[in-house]
């Protein structure tokens, strides 16, 4: 008995000691844990910043979306009579607004939640701001006493007003994806803003509900991104690319349009064929797809040989009828099989693979590093360090690589094989020719703004000031123009209204482990326009056309032509002729009499001087190098104004102010009026005017 009593006393003492330990020694720890289990601060996501196009159009934005809950035991409706008087009205209003349930069903759900004592009953998810405004006007939420029973949780939903327009370039934010996508991912630190905090309380059922209506720390909206994309040009590029992809039943394709001087990408479109045969933007091929570029690379090969004085545009080369077997090396063929002796310029225009391979191999077989180092000076082996992540790694082989073959590699490289380049890397190189030799990295974002104020601006990074000498630059420009005027691009890309310079490229691409056996081709065209004063450069790449032609001029050429035509027609600054100066004894433009203030303003913008002279010359007189005469229309009170020579709007204004009714016949300029100007007739009389 003593032992049993002692044990009981011992355990009682241990319990008292443990209670004291929990209360005084570990008290702070357990109190903090209790608070964290019942109440805690939770993050409130900030509204993300907007992404704008270069012309101010909204490409991506966040719109508020609300989740509505109801506290069934809130003070305003704690009394059963108040709740019962309002619940059926609320149910009828919700049913009328959404129509997903009957009023009786809504009432039954709300009454059941009331009986269960729910403090956080879900009413509706994904409620728009306009819907929320209407719901706040429902009787039970409108009253000052009962409105506190509505709990509103704001969320932000990301939308793109133009939907698929430049979708992959704009990108998206996804917590489940580690790799940043597009501008949304690359500039998330600016766009995301600063999150706020709100005190939340845990209620039965494991649900968290806000303690207060307001956030403890308000969230700060993200900054706005001003992109370089032009909405109109983007739409033009996408439409042209989609048409050609569908016509050719190709696997995928891309188009990039860039301003020559600034490096700002005005349009970038990428489409992939789905299993259903439609096309979607799934991958940014222009940035990431580094493969053999094909004949567009010949520009780099010929530029290198010209700049190192290995040849001239007039140098004669034998293309061997379009087929040539290198000793111990590859057999190279041309698309056209009637190329024999021709000049270097003509070989470039006709895109002769044999000519390019023979020229490069003969000049550099004993010193391949001389050729490779020159290519490296163009920075073709380096990434462009774009503002968007995911750029493909360029590869330009050199003799130290294990895969280098002294008999094969050089001739293959001459016309764009044995290497990897992305379309955008190739475009940047062509752009340097249009930009007087200055190589710049393309940009997609030109400005970041917060609250309307610019906080950061971006300009294209200059990679090198001069890729080659001015003499070489002039020669390769002439060769690029010759491709469109006389070579492979003359039947599709040539345009009488403006000049184009560029190069076609038809490359056979490998198909995984099958290599080149499947005969898959890539068609591309890279160039710039107008050739005489370039403003835009562009590349078009279409992979594996399976229907119709596969040659670049017939597959990529139509896309380039369609985009260039529309851009040329829409850009009012492009190809503008200098203003004409009016000289003596030149007939001035015909004008209508009437509002001289407006007329003078128009003439001022046109650079036409005023001349205060007699009215006999009027607005159709002769400029005597002093200007053109003007005279205000004047009439005596109570007499009919003379409106001959006026337009309709001015004639109606003058006669109406004078108090006369007017009948109009014809259109154009007033030639006659039924009552001569200066005549006295009663006010309110009708006057007929004829216009021609």
């Amino acid at each position: 008995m003593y032992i049993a009593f002692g044990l009981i006393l011992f355990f009682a003492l241990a319990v008292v000691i443990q209670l004291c330990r929990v209360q005084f020694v570990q008290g702070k720890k357990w109190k903090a844990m209790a608070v964290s289990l019942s109440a805690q601060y939770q993050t409130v996501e900030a509204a993300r910043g907007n992404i704008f196009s270069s012309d101010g159009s909204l490409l991506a934005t966040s719109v508020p979306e609300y989740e509505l809950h109801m506290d069934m035991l809130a003070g305003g409706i704690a009394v059963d009579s108040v709740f019962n008087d309002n619940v059926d009205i609320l149910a009828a209003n919700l049913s009328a607004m959404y129509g997903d349930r009957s009023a009786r069903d809504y009432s039954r759900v709300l009454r059941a939640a009331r009986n269960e004592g729910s403090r956080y009953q879900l009413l509706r998810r994904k409620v728009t701001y306009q819907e929320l405004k209407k719901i706040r006007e429902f009787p039970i939420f409108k009253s000052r006493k009962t409105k506190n029973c509505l709990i509103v949780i704001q969320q932000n939903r990301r939308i793109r007003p133009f939907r698929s327009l430049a979708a992959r370039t704009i990108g998206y934010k996804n917590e489940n994806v580690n790799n940043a996508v597009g501008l949304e991912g690359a500039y998330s630190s600016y766009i995301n803003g600063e999150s706020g905090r709100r005190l939340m309380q845990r209620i039965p059922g494991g649900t968290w509900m806000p303690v207060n209506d307001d956030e403890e720390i308000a969230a700060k909206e993200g900054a706005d991104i001003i992109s370089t994309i032009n909405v109109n040009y983007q739409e033009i590029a996408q439409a042209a690319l989609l048409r050609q992809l569908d016509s050719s039943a190709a696997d995928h394709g891309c188009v990039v349009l860039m301003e020559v001087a600034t490096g700002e990408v005005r349009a970038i479109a990428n489409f992939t064929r789905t299993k259903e045969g439609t096309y979607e933007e799934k991958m940014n091929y222009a940035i990431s797809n580094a493969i053999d570029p094909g004949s567009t690379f010949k520009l780099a090969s010929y530029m290198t040989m010209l700049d190192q004085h290995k040849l001239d545009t007039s140098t004669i080369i034998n293309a061997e009828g379009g087929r040539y077997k290198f000793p111990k090396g590859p057999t190279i063929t041309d698309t056209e099989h009637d190329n024999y002796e021709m000049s270097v310029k003509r070989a470039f225009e006709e895109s002769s693979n044999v000519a390019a391979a023979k020229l490069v191999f003969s000049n550099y077989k004993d010193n391949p590093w001389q050729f490779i180092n020159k290519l490296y000076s163009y920075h073709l082996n380096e990434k462009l360090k774009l503002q968007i992540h995911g750029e493909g790694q360029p590869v330009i082989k050199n003799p130290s690589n294990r895969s280098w073959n002294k008999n094969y590699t050089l001739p293959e490289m001459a016309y764009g094989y044995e290497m990897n380049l992305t379309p955008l890397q190739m475009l940047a190189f062509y752009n340097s020719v249009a930009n007087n030799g200055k190589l710049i990295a393309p940009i997609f974002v030109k400005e970041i703004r917060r609250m309307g104020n610019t906080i950061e601006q971006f300009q294209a990074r200059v990679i090198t000031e001069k890729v080659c000498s001015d003499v070489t630059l002039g020669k390769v420009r002439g060769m690029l123009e010759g491709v469109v005027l006389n070579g492979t691009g003359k039947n599709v890309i040539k345009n009488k209204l403006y000049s184009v310079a560029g190069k076609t490229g038809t490359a056979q691409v490998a198909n995984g482990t099958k290599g080149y056996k499947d005969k898959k081709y890539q068609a591309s065209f890279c160039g710039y326009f107008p050739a005489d004063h370039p403003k835009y450069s562009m590349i078009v790449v279409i992979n594996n056309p399976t229907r119709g032609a596969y040659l670049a001029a017939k597959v990529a050429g139509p896309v380039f032509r369609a985009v260039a035509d529309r851009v040329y027609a829409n850009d009012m600054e492009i190809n503008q002729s200098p203003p004409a100066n009016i000289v003596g004894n030149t007939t001035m433009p015909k004008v209508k009499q009437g509002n001289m203030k407006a007329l003078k303003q128009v003439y001022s913008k046109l650079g036409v001087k005023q001349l205060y002279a007699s009215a006999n010359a009027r607005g159709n007189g002769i400029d005597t190098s002093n200007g053109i005469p003007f005279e205000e229309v004047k009439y005596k009170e109570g007499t009919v104004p003379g409106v001959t020579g006026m337009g309709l709007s001015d004639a109606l204004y003058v006669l109406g102010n004078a108090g006369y009714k007017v009948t109009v016949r014809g259109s154009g300029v007033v030639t006659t009026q039924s009552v001569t100007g200066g005549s006295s007739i009663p006010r309110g009389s009708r006057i007929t005017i004829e216009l021609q």
Side-chain angles (χ1 to χ4, degrees), residues 567-644:
V567 171
Y568 181 83
N570 281 274
D571 191 337
M572 299 305 295
E573 296 180 0
I574 203 171
N575 201 25
Q576 294 296 308
S577 57
N581 296 316
I582 298 176
V583 297
N585 298 325
T586 301
T587 302
M588 298 300 288
K590 293 183 178 182
V591 298
K592 299 175 182 178
Q593 298 302 304
N595 189 342
M596 288 296 110
K597 182 179 179 181
L599 185 61
K600 290 175 183 177
Q601 185 177 2
V602 172
Y603 270 146
S604 175
K605 293 293 184 183
L606 294 174
V608 179
K609 302 183 295 295
Q610 298 179 18
L611 174 66
Y612 299 96
S614 61
N616 57 3
R618 303 266 273 191
N620 303 325
I622 300 299
D623 184 14
T624 60
S625 297
N626 295 319
I628 191 166
F630 293 95
E631 184 182 36
E632 295 287 351
V633 176
K634 297 178 181 179
Y635 66 95
K636 185 179 179 181
E637 186 75 24
T639 63
V640 177
V643 296
T644 304

Side-chain angles (χ1 to χ4, degrees), residues 453-483:
N453 299 315
T454 301
I455 60 175
E456 194 166 352
Q457 288 183 320
F458 302 95
Q459 291 183 340
R461 178 175 59 89
V462 178
I463 300 173
T464 183
E465 287 288 345
K466 211 75 172 176
V467 293
C468 64
S469 67
D470 289 333
V471 174
T472 301
L473 202 61
K475 291 177 180 178
V476 294
R477 278 180 169 176
M479 293 165 69
L480 290 170
E481 291 180 43
V483 170

Side-chain angles (χ1 to χ4, degrees), residues 225 255 359 457:
I225 303 297
V255 177
L359 287 167
Q457 288 183 320

Side-chain angles (χ1 to χ4, degrees), residues 310 363-373 399 410:
K310 300 291 185 181
N363 283 296
Y364 298 103
K365 62 182 178 181
D366 297 327
N367 186 10
W369 274 107
Q370 187 181 13
F371 180 69
I372 300 301
N373 285 333
L410 265 182

Side-chain angles (χ1 to χ4, degrees), residues 89-208:
I89 300 174
L90 174 61
N93 286 329
L94 289 172
S95 177
M97 174 175 283
Y98 293 108
D100 57 337
R101 294 179 181 177
S102 66
R104 180 177 295 181
D105 287 340
Y106 267 113
S107 178
R108 180 167 41 80
V109 170
L110 294 173
R111 289 180 186 275
R114 169 79 170 190
N115 294 333
E116 293 172 2
S118 176
R119 305 299 304 269
Y120 202 58
Q121 175 63 30
L122 176 66
L123 288 183
R124 195 79 185 178
R125 288 190 174 94
K126 297 182 178 180
V127 176
T128 66
Y129 178 70
Q130 295 300 325
E131 291 173 346
L132 177 61
K133 286 175 64 178
K134 293 180 181 179
I135 291 173
R136 287 189 187 277
E137 295 299 315
F138 290 174
I140 196 169
F141 301 136
K142 187 176 182 181
S143 172
R144 182 177 298 178
K145 294 181 180 180
T146 59
K147 68 177 183 179
N148 63 335
C149 65
L150 180 65
I151 302 170
V152 180
I153 305 298
Q154 180 176 332
Q155 300 167 333
N156 295 309
R157 181 167 62 94
R158 200 67 169 169
I159 64 168
R160 292 195 299 266
F162 291 96
R163 297 186 180 180
S164 63
L165 202 72
R168 194 69 187 181
T169 302
I170 296 170
Y172 56 84
K173 177 190 176 185
N174 191 332
E175 300 295 343
N176 299 321
V177 178
N178 294 325
N179 296 328
V181 178
L183 298 178
E184 291 272 19
Y187 288 87
S188 58
S189 59
Y190 291 97
I191 299 174
N192 287 346
E194 298 179 15
S195 300
R197 289 200 309 167
R198 169 181 277 165
L199 184 61
M200 304 287 283
Q201 183 179 11
R202 189 186 181 100
I203 61 176
T207 304
W208 292 89

Side-chain angles (χ1 to χ4, degrees), residues 214-249:
D214 299 327
E215 301 169 10
E216 295 291 330
I217 300 177
K220 295 182 180 178
E221 291 187 4
D224 295 333
I225 303 297
I226 312 300
S227 74
T228 62
I229 300 296
N230 181 293
V231 171
N232 293 330
Y233 296 165
Q234 180 69 32
E235 188 175 6
I236 291 167
Q238 289 192 185
L241 179 61
L242 278 173
R243 281 196 303 269
Q244 189 60 47
L245 288 173
D246 187 61
S247 174
S248 301

